[in-house]
Amino acid sequence: MAELDTDLDHVIPSSVLPPIWAKLVVGFVSLLCFARSYDGDFVFDDSEAIVNNKDLQAATPLGDLWHHDFWGSKLSSNTSHKSYRPLTVLTFRMNYYWSGGFHPMGFHVVNLLLHSGISVLLVDVFSVLLGGLQYTSKGRRLNLAPRASLLAALLFSVHPVHTECVAGVVGRADLLCALFFLLSFLGYCKAFRESSKEGAHFSTFWVLLSILLGAAAMLCKEQGITVLAINYNYYYSLNAWLLLCPWWLCFDWSMGCIPLIKSVSDGRIIALAALWLCLIGLICQALCSEDSHKRRILTLGLGFLVIPFLPASNLFFRVGFVVAERVLYLPSVGYCVLLTFAFGALSKHTKRKKLIAVLILGILILNMLRCMVRSAEWRSEEQLFRSALSVCPLNAKVHYNVGKNLADNGNQTAAIRYYREAVRLNPKYVHAMNNLGNILKERNELQEAEELLSLAVQIQPDFAAAWMNLGIVQNSLKRFEAAEHSYRTAIRHRRKYPDCYYNLGRLYADLNRHMDALNAWRNATVLKPEHSLAWNNMIILLDNTGNLAQAEAVGREALELIPNDHSLMFSLANVLGKSQKYKESEALFLKAIQANPKAASYHGNLAVLYHRWGHLDSAKKHYEISLQLDPAAPGTKENYGLLRRKLQQLQKKGV
């Protein structure tokens, strides 16, 4: 048995050392830590990578996954994120198929099982890292460090820094990457065993399998390529601190959350110095120690800690973040090796073995509790975003996300406060300006909305959404020429922008430029065939201008593309009624009412149809329903009065 394991004999009871029991314990504990996330929502990046990703749906050919980035955009597109993870997207697609849609529970359960499987697999990996690679004469691998490998696997399985990878569905990329990475490592270990036997071809098989598994790991999560950057050393110490003390966790560490070190007088240099002193000390021990067992453990531990972290270090190329908890998933394997080694060394040099056992047990329990609390915070965006406020109060993106969540839930007043704070923290945060401008526009605070949106497009002249929203505000202010210019500018920067064409059509309709309006709405429906509002506006404009035949043709075309849209049924039914196609009009009105029975206008217009058609009792029934739903419905009360007088006249005549 390895010396390290002997040092831990008073810490880990022998009753849990049999391999099957050790793995069962690790698997159960890993599930228990993050179980509260199993029925959470899609949060943060999950919306873009899963809910809005067409690559998950059957309509997208499987072959397209190999030409698209992680978010479903073509890799060749200028707007592509260039994150290439086709195998991860394939698992999302399988989840979508098995769940019958975007039901988050199935996605979360797979993440939980992956983390549990990785934690169990690490029992074997740690036994190699901590105990060495030795076999019996029959070729069975020996576990020379059962206590140390169990402790390291437990430390990994309960680490709170893993919450983002496990509780956030998008974290599956890191989970799958780690899974294939570890399988590749074990495959290489298998090749090492076979190479010492007569059948060397077996060794070739395992080496090839190891390479294939390594390639699979890269297809689950790519590594970005950018340029060398400086001043990131403090971030390394912060990442190290998250591994050592994972109490302050945040879904996003960008936008002023961690100010750069700009002066030697900055006290945080102490953390930087401590990090490098520790690393240099460990490297010296790994290279110079006379104990070969110690050298091997420290070398492998540092290798697992440092090498998987290098792509996210901003050292060789710049990536899109400075600190991200998800990138610590695989490096934490090395951290757990070093921590287990440290506990063994501490136990060796002290007589208070029980105190070491209590310390380890305390760390495991505290980490488990932190995992449970953090998993609950990842269950919904509101909890996740608010949890970040206490950790990163200077992060403009945190305030922006809290504001966006509040706005989505209808609390505009509170949302304004957080958007304003986001802009205060980052005066060039154009997305916060755009969203704040939108809310102010809806609250009819048009002057400030225009100022904010104008500033946003000055800062980022190609911000098409801000140009469109600025056009809407200018239209409301009756500044029609400026509005048209803003809409046209938005379309110039985003050629395929159906919503902007729709709003441009509304502007032209207000100016009685009917042909221009129809052309703009037609462009909207070409770019987005399911754009119901554009179809409806075309039908209504043609109807109001007396072009009933053209209105009918457009309505039928729209319903072929969007057959279940009750508003289109209603608009076409009105046109058919005016064309005296009563039976077909009635059928469409009834279908629209079945889809939306509480729409007073639907009942009111059907009553008008019956009134005109001579079905007076049916007309009376639907007038009354319409007035019950909306007593102030325009025209309905007058029409109902006319009908009642007519019915009274008929009654007097005895008809």
Side-chain angles (χ1 to χ4, degrees):
M1 186 173 288
E3 182 182 348
L4 175 60
D5 223 63
T6 305
D7 296 335
L8 295 171
D9 60 354
H10 295 287
V11 177
I12 307 293
S14 58
S15 58
V16 296
L17 293 184
I20 187 64
W21 282 107
K23 291 178 179 179
L24 284 173
V25 168
V26 169
F28 175 75
V29 168
S30 62
L31 287 175
L32 185 64
C33 284
F34 301 100
R36 295 184 72 182
S37 67
Y38 88 98
D39 61 345
D41 298 330
F42 291 123
V43 298
F44 198 36
D45 288 338
D46 294 348
S47 297
E48 287 302 313
I50 297 169
V51 179
N52 298 330
N53 192 343
K54 292 183 179 179
D55 283 350
L56 271 65
Q57 300 175 27
T60 303
L62 275 174
D64 286 4
L65 269 62
W66 304 96
H67 305 286
H68 292 176
D69 65 17
F70 187 54
W71 314 93
S73 301
K74 289 184 178 180
L75 283 167
S76 57
S77 169
N78 291 331
T79 59
S80 170
H81 193 269
K82 308 301 182 188
S83 47
Y84 189 58
R85 309 170 190 173
L87 291 186
T88 302
V89 177
L90 182 61
T91 67
F92 290 155
R93 183 164 173 147
M94 293 166 66
N95 256 131
Y96 177 83
Y97 175 77
W98 291 331
S99 303
F102 293 112
H103 304 295
M105 183 182 293
F107 290 81
H108 284 294
V109 168
V110 170
N111 274 29
L112 282 168
L113 293 176
L114 279 171
H115 175 66
S116 181
I118 291 165
S119 300
V120 169
L121 191 64
L122 277 168
V123 176
D124 289 330
V125 173
F126 284 132
S127 71
V128 175
L129 296 177
L130 296 166
L133 193 59
Q134 294 187 29
Y135 296 90
T136 65
S137 57
K138 295 182 179 180
R140 181 174 172 272
R141 185 175 61 81
L142 294 170
N143 185 353
L144 299 178
R147 290 183 174 86
S149 60
L150 172 59
L151 175 57
L154 285 172
L155 288 169
F156 177 90
S157 67
V158 304
H159 206 297
V161 83
H162 298 156
T163 311
E164 180 176 359
C165 289
V166 183
V169 179
V170 168
R172 187 178 300 178
D174 297 271
L175 296 173
L176 288 171
C177 181
L179 176 65
F180 287 116
F181 183 99
L182 297 174
L183 288 173
S184 176
F185 174 81
L186 291 175
Y188 185 78
C189 292
K190 195 81 169 176
F192 185 86
R193 184 200 76 176
E194 297 294 348
S195 65
S196 64
K197 299 168 68 176
E198 292 182 3
H201 61 280
F202 285 107
S203 174
T204 304
F205 168 78
W206 286 108
V207 168
L208 288 175
L209 181 61
S210 177
I211 292 171
L212 286 173
L213 289 167
M218 289 188 289
L219 291 173
C220 290
K221 184 170 184 181
E222 82 304 328
Q223 306 300 337
I225 300 176
T226 52
V227 297
L228 180 67
I230 58 172
N231 226 332
Y232 284 96
N233 280 266
Y234 175 65
Y235 296 133
Y236 306 155
S237 58
L238 183 59
N239 278 289
W241 180 250
L242 289 177
L243 287 172
L244 288 167
C245 185
W247 213 251
W248 293 276
L249 300 175
C250 182
F251 73 93
D252 190 287
W253 292 86
S254 62
M255 287 201 177
C257 194
I258 315 156
L260 286 171
I261 293 176
K262 297 180 179 178
S263 167
V264 292
S265 62
D266 194 315
R268 292 175 295 166
I269 286 182
I270 297 172
L272 170 60
L275 169 68
W276 284 108
L277 284 173
C278 288
L279 281 177
I280 291 169
L282 287 170
I283 291 170
C284 290
Q285 287 291 310
L287 295 175
C288 305
S289 175
E290 295 180 358
D291 186 341
S292 61
H293 181 66
K294 180 179 181 180
R295 289 201 307 271
R296 183 182 56 77
I297 291 177
L298 291 178
T299 301
L300 289 171
L302 285 169
F304 266 85
L305 177 66
V306 174
I307 293 173
F309 180 72
L310 285 177
S313 66
N314 287 283
L315 185 60
F316 299 109
F317 37 78
R318 185 165 181 181
V319 292
F321 48 83
V322 290
V323 177
E325 293 155 22
R326 61 185 176 276
V327 304
L328 297 175
Y329 192 82
L330 196 50
S332 67
V333 172
Y335 163 76
C336 292
V337 168
L338 297 175
L339 188 59
T340 301
F341 180 80
F343 281 133
L346 192 62
S347 180
K348 180 181 180 180
H349 293 95
T350 183
K351 295 180 180 179
R352 311 180 98 178
K353 310 289 186 183
K354 290 185 178 179
L355 185 61
I356 302 299
V358 170
L359 174 64
I360 292 173
L361 185 62
I363 290 173
L364 291 173
I365 291 174
L366 281 174
N367 278 1
M368 285 181 68
L369 292 173
R370 181 62 181 132
C371 285
M372 293 174 183
V373 171
R374 187 62 178 157
S375 294
E377 291 172 348
W378 272 85
R379 284 166 55 87
S380 70
E381 287 194 334
E382 181 182 2
Q383 295 177 80
L384 177 64
F385 296 155
R386 287 192 177 278
S387 70
L389 287 172
S390 59
V391 180
C392 286
L394 300 180
N395 188 335
K397 194 171 180 179
V398 168
H399 290 274
Y400 168 84
N401 279 296
V402 173
K404 187 174 183 301
N405 182 260
L406 287 165
D408 291 343
N409 291 322
N411 192 346
Q412 290 187 339
T413 303
I416 287 174
R417 186 169 70 253
Y418 285 100
Y419 280 141
R420 289 194 191 282
E421 181 64 9
V423 174
R424 186 189 70 80
L425 291 169
N426 183 356
K428 294 186 177 181
Y429 199 170
V430 292
H431 292 282
M433 294 175 189
N434 180 55
N435 286 16
L436 178 55
N438 270 340
I439 292 180
L440 294 173
K441 174 192 69 181
E442 292 172 12
R443 294 163 69 98
N444 208 35
E445 298 177 33
L446 300 178
Q447 199 65 44
E448 186 181 358
E450 184 182 23
E451 291 172 4
L452 276 167
L453 292 166
S454 297
L455 179 58
V457 296
Q458 286 176 26
I459 295 169
Q460 186 177 325
D462 63 347
F463 192 1
W467 277 113
M468 183 189 75
N469 291 324
L470 178 59
I472 295 171
V473 171
Q474 290 166 335
N475 193 6
S476 300
L477 290 168
K478 308 298 183 186
R479 296 178 54 210
F480 300 121
E481 287 186 15
E484 183 178 8
H485 169 74
S486 295
Y487 288 141
R488 289 292 180 189
T489 306
I491 292 168
R492 188 171 72 247
H493 290 301
R494 189 192 299 177
R495 294 186 181 279
K496 297 180 179 180
Y497 204 172
D499 288 341
C500 195
Y501 276 111
Y502 165 74
N503 284 301
L504 180 61
R506 289 185 59 190
L507 168 66
Y508 289 145
D510 290 342
L511 296 174
N512 292 321
R513 293 166 58 179
H514 296 158
M515 287 305 300
D516 289 334
L518 289 171
N519 287 334
W521 289 329
R522 174 59 72 176
N523 283 332
T525 59
V526 168
L527 293 171
K528 186 179 178 182
E530 68 275 15
H531 204 304
S532 174
L533 289 173
W535 284 114
N536 250 318
N537 280 19
M538 277 195 283
I539 298 167
I540 293 167
L541 179 57
L542 290 167
D543 181 1
N544 291 341
T545 53
N547 296 304
L548 295 181
Q550 196 176 350
E552 180 181 340
V554 171
R556 292 188 188 280
E557 183 184 357
L559 274 178
E560 282 184 13
L561 294 167
I562 324 173
N564 297 317
D565 191 302
H566 55 80
S567 63
L568 289 175
M569 297 174 197
F570 173 70
S571 296
L572 180 56
N574 284 325
V575 173
L576 292 170
K578 291 179 182 179
S579 301
Q580 298 185 352
K581 297 180 180 179
Y582 297 134
K583 196 70 180 173
E584 194 175 0
S585 176
E586 176 194 32
L588 277 174
F589 272 129
L590 291 173
K591 196 173 179 183
I593 287 170
Q594 185 179 8
N596 189 14
K598 293 188 180 295
S601 60
Y602 290 11
H603 290 279
N605 284 32
L606 176 58
V608 170
L609 175 75
Y610 283 136
H611 196 161
R612 188 184 298 150
W613 195 2
H615 295 188
L616 303 185
D617 288 336
S618 297
K620 180 175 181 293
K621 170 188 171 185
H622 285 279
Y623 277 137
E624 289 172 349
I625 295 172
S626 178
L627 288 169
Q628 285 176 0
L629 292 169
D630 182 10
T636 304
K637 200 167 186 178
E638 292 79 1
N639 288 333
Y640 182 51
L642 291 173
L643 176 67
R644 289 185 63 184
R645 284 195 291 274
K646 187 171 184 178
L647 287 172
Q648 288 170 359
Q649 290 171 1
L650 291 173
Q651 193 173 18
K652 287 178 181 178
K653 293 179 180 179
V655 178

